[in-house]
Amino acid sequence: MANIPRQCDAILEAVSFSAKLLIETTWEESIQRIIEYIGKVTGVSRVYISEKHRANDGTLLTSRRYEWVMKGITPQIDNPELQNFPLTEDFARWLELLNRGEVVYGHIREFPEVEQKVLSSQDIKSILIVPISVNHSWWGIIGFDECLNEREWSLTEINALKAVAGILGSAIQRGLTEKKLEENEKKYRTTFEYTGTAMTVVEEDTTISLVNEEFERLSGYSKVEIEGKMSWTQFVHPDDLERMKNYHYARRRSEDVPKKYEFRFIDRLGNTKNIFITIDIIPGTKKSVASLIDITFIKKINNLLKAVSEINEVVAREKKPETVLKTVCRELGLIYDAAFVSLKKGEKLIPVESEGIDIDFINKIIEYCPAIQKAAKGDTVSINNESVSCGKCKIQPRKFVLSLPLNIHDQNYGVLAFHSYSRFSEDEVLLLERIAKNIAFALSAYEVEERERLTIEQLVTNLVQFDKTSDRLRNPLAVIMGSLELTNEIGEKRVIEIINEQVKRIRRELDRMRREEIKTYHMIKNRISPEKAKE
């Protein structure tokens, strides 16, 4: 179980790897590398892609198209029984789940007997089947076989692998769209409208003459507002505009310019989105057709993974908590609208570091903010513009707030909070919770180290005190010895008085020494501060 977070992190990296590769190449060119990468990071025995199709008589079939197997595992890609495999009544359960977009998973011994017969012949002990959807329709599956031992799939792993299937579906969808555009220009309008990605046609003067529904969703504008009235330049971030205008005119001069690249898109509400565009001239015209894919989420997750790595390095290297917290806010403030940390001082939360938001403002609203106060009690809290807020903090339109507890060993050290103009995904929350847990662990470690340092200082103090006490004890002892030698001169009564006085001095010194010993004992036993030890 200890390796599950690491396994989940590896799978999330596989999501990022798959997305990047599918952006750079076609899915057919990259699919073998992707399933091999996923197979290795998940540690499964076999990963494969099967496509759904129909026989001439309409029977629903699946055929295995791609496969990767671990060394020592028998490949099934050439198994004739897995080509044109009929999804009949024997696998009606699977068909129902996959048609609903749900996964099939579990131990084979727990499956219906008719399913066990087919799967056991492939040496499968546990399985996970994730549907791949293309254009809102079930296209096929990505399967994960465990042939060596039974395996329990966590919800986080399943969600991450569903994300891989989603990215594959988008890539297959884009590939099919581009192929249709090349193969049949007569069907252009239908393909253009129902491709599943944002599409647009632009004129030589940069006017947008045609868009589809996906472009409407991406931009926030309607077709009536866009077509023939707006220029594509109105949707481009100022820092990217000059480069794209150069591409636009060079393309019409038949110069060699990129057909695929990234740029920043500005929607109706002013939100910036990361877009991967595929664009080219329509043959025989001065018009160009473009396909736009929103990769904002992928970029954000990729940046978040980099930030996690940087923060973890600082946590491992630094001994000052203020440096760690400053790094956390700086790195995550580059990804989100604002990031800030508040630490617990007694029963109060005190803002200590922030990026993108004024720390004095946080001080004014912190005790009224329901998200922060609930997080301080150990809950992860998400608030959006539709939530009921406290009224003290004015959440801007489409702004989202996430507050995470800094908890370790049932102790809360404070709250890590974020403001964002976009909704926090489950994957983001998972990664940010890991960061919060690491910060809490670091704060706990710093606290232990500080207590160890204070304990050592107390021991040194005791040694010095012991040395001084020894000197102070020698003096009354010398007085006692001297008075005994002068008994005949000063009388026994005076000697007894002197002895009693010096014994009291000795007792006071011994009591002082005993108190220091008790304080040191409690510090070492309970690892508490000198102030607590006095209590």
Side-chain angles (χ1 to χ4, degrees):
M1 295 294 289
N3 290 326
I4 285 179
R6 190 178 302 168
Q7 186 93 52
C8 293
D9 288 347
I11 294 176
L12 288 174
E13 289 179 9
V15 175
S16 179
F17 171 85
S18 302
K20 185 175 185 298
L21 199 58
L22 288 167
I23 286 172
E24 295 172 348
T25 63
T26 66
W27 75 274
E28 292 98 335
E29 292 171 332
S30 57
I31 190 63
Q32 197 61 44
R33 287 178 61 191
I34 288 172
I35 62 175
E36 178 182 355
Y37 188 95
I38 295 171
K40 289 179 177 178
V41 299
T42 57
V44 295
S45 305
R46 189 184 294 125
V47 183
Y48 46 91
I49 303 288
S50 292
E51 182 182 359
K52 182 190 74 171
H53 56 102
R54 290 190 181 274
N56 293 334
D57 62 1
T59 303
L60 192 60
L61 310 172
T62 64
S63 293
R64 187 157 299 188
R65 304 302 191 199
Y66 304 91
E67 182 185 79
W68 170 87
V69 296
M70 180 189 291
K71 186 177 180 181
I73 301 300
T74 303
Q76 298 293 323
I77 189 72
D78 296 323
N79 185 344
E81 294 183 3
L82 298 181
Q83 302 304 326
N84 300 314
F85 181 82
L87 291 173
T88 57
E89 293 181 2
D90 292 347
F91 281 78
R93 182 176 74 93
W94 287 36
L95 191 57
E96 182 180 353
L97 290 169
L98 296 171
N99 273 326
R100 293 204 305 261
E102 298 179 19
V103 300
V104 178
Y105 71 105
H107 306 315
I108 303 308
R109 58 179 170 79
E110 298 172 349
F111 281 26
E113 186 174 345
V114 68
E115 295 176 13
Q116 288 187 38
K117 183 177 179 181
V118 175
L119 300 172
S120 297
S121 66
Q122 302 169 50
D123 301 322
I124 303 172
K125 296 185 181 298
S126 297
I127 195 169
L128 170 63
I129 300 294
V130 182
I132 298 173
S133 294
V134 173
N135 201 21
H136 310 294
S137 178
W138 176 39
W139 175 90
I141 57 108
I142 178 169
F144 305 85
D145 293 346
E146 183 57 70
C147 301
L148 300 177
N149 300 291
E150 289 188 342
R151 175 172 183 155
E152 298 289 345
W153 292 93
S154 71
L155 182 59
T156 302
E157 289 175 311
I158 291 173
N159 286 336
L161 293 172
K162 285 172 71 175
V164 172
I167 292 169
L168 281 173
S170 296
I172 294 169
Q173 183 172 301
R174 187 177 80 241
L176 292 174
T177 298
E178 293 173 350
K179 189 176 292 184
K180 286 179 182 178
L181 283 171
E182 294 172 0
E183 291 175 347
N184 197 344
E185 191 175 349
K186 291 180 181 179
K187 297 180 180 178
Y188 167 71
R189 171 72 69 169
T190 302
T191 305
F192 180 89
E193 188 60 48
Y194 299 106
T195 179
T197 59
M199 299 286 293
T200 180
V201 173
V202 299
E203 304 294 325
E204 184 176 10
D205 66 355
T206 76
T207 301
I208 298 174
S209 57
L210 194 64
V211 297
N212 66 356
E213 290 182 6
E214 290 294 333
F215 192 93
E216 287 183 296
R217 280 191 278 271
L218 180 69
S219 67
Y221 291 91
S222 68
K223 291 183 181 182
V224 174
E225 294 174 297
I226 299 172
E227 293 177 349
K229 299 173 184 175
M230 298 183 72
S231 166
W232 62 260
T233 59
Q234 294 173 252
F235 297 98
V236 179
H237 191 283
D239 292 345
D240 296 331
L241 185 56
E242 193 62 32
R243 168 173 63 98
M244 291 183 64
K245 286 173 71 175
N246 290 337
Y247 290 166
H248 176 84
Y249 293 111
R251 189 175 290 114
R252 281 149 183 81
R253 295 191 298 267
S254 300
E255 296 177 14
D256 186 21
V257 292
K259 295 181 180 180
K260 298 181 180 183
Y261 54 88
E262 294 181 26
F263 76 98
R264 284 163 291 181
F265 184 99
I266 309 297
D267 70 11
R268 184 172 199 148
L269 296 177
N271 296 321
T272 300
K273 300 177 180 179
N274 296 105
I275 299 297
F276 183 80
I277 185 171
T278 300
I279 184 169
D280 204 356
I281 291 288
I282 298 174
T285 75
K286 291 291 185 179
K287 300 178 180 182
S288 53
V289 60
S291 167
L292 294 84
I293 300 174
D294 187 351
I295 59 171
T296 306
F297 172 71
I298 296 170
K299 296 274 285 189
K300 183 184 283 188
I301 288 295
N302 198 36
N303 291 336
L304 195 51
L305 287 169
K306 291 178 182 176
V308 169
S309 178
E310 176 67 23
I311 290 167
N312 286 342
E313 285 184 18
V314 173
V315 167
R317 182 179 68 245
E318 279 293 336
K319 299 300 181 185
K320 296 180 179 178
E322 56 268 23
T323 303
V324 172
L325 299 180
K326 190 180 290 293
T327 301
V328 168
C329 290
R330 184 188 70 242
E331 292 293 327
L332 297 177
L334 296 174
I335 301 173
Y336 299 102
D337 180 47
F340 57 94
V341 179
S342 303
L343 295 184
K344 211 169 231 185
K345 304 291 184 183
E347 293 302 314
K348 292 190 67 177
L349 279 173
I350 308 296
V352 293
E353 291 292 344
S354 68
E355 190 74 30
I357 187 170
D358 185 60
I359 207 161
D360 291 332
F361 174 74
I362 303 170
N363 264 315
K364 292 177 183 177
I365 59 92
I366 192 166
E367 63 181 292
Y368 304 104
C369 178
I372 295 176
Q373 293 302 320
K374 287 181 182 178
K377 295 177 181 177
D379 297 324
T380 295
V381 183
S382 180
I383 292 180
N384 59 46
N385 58 306
E386 297 173 352
S387 301
V388 178
S389 62
C390 60
K392 298 289 182 180
C393 179
K394 302 298 182 183
I395 300 177
Q396 298 180 21
R398 297 191 69 187
K399 196 166 188 177
F400 299 84
V401 177
L402 178 69
S403 294
L404 304 169
L406 300 179
N407 276 14
I408 192 78
H409 305 316
D410 297 325
Q411 182 173 350
N412 177 259
Y413 286 88
V415 174
L416 175 61
F418 304 94
H419 290 181
S420 175
Y421 284 107
S422 58
R423 189 180 299 274
F424 293 91
S425 70
E426 290 182 7
D427 292 330
E428 284 180 87
V429 174
L430 175 68
L431 285 171
L432 292 171
E433 284 179 332
R434 290 291 308 284
I435 291 174
K437 185 73 73 176
N438 288 348
I439 294 170
F441 180 82
L443 292 173
S444 173
Y446 297 144
E447 189 175 71
V448 170
E449 288 179 7
E450 178 65 10
R451 289 170 180 171
E452 293 284 357
R453 184 185 66 79
L454 293 173
T455 300
I456 292 172
E457 288 182 358
Q458 182 64 38
L459 287 171
V460 172
T461 301
N462 287 358
L463 290 173
V464 173
Q465 187 67 36
F466 179 79
D467 190 50
K468 292 179 179 179
T469 299
S470 297
D471 289 340
R472 286 194 289 267
L473 289 175
R474 290 189 190 100
N475 187 43
L477 288 172
V479 171
I480 290 172
M481 295 301 295
S483 65
L484 290 172
E485 292 177 359
L486 296 173
T487 300
N488 294 333
E489 287 82 356
I490 63 177
E492 289 183 2
K493 183 178 179 181
R494 179 56 185 154
V495 169
I496 292 172
E497 289 175 353
I498 291 172
I499 290 173
N500 286 335
E501 291 172 359
Q502 299 308 313
V503 166
K504 289 179 181 178
R505 286 181 61 188
I506 291 171
R507 283 176 177 170
R508 284 196 296 272
E509 290 299 327
L510 291 174
D511 287 343
R512 185 183 296 112
M513 183 183 295
R514 179 59 180 163
R515 285 194 296 271
E516 292 299 323
E517 287 177 353
I518 292 172
K519 181 168 71 174
T520 304
Y521 167 76
H522 285 302
M523 287 181 65
I524 294 173
K525 180 182 178 182
N526 302 314
R527 295 295 192 272
I528 60 175
S529 65
E531 291 72 19
K532 293 275 187 180
K534 288 178 182 179
E535 299 174 4

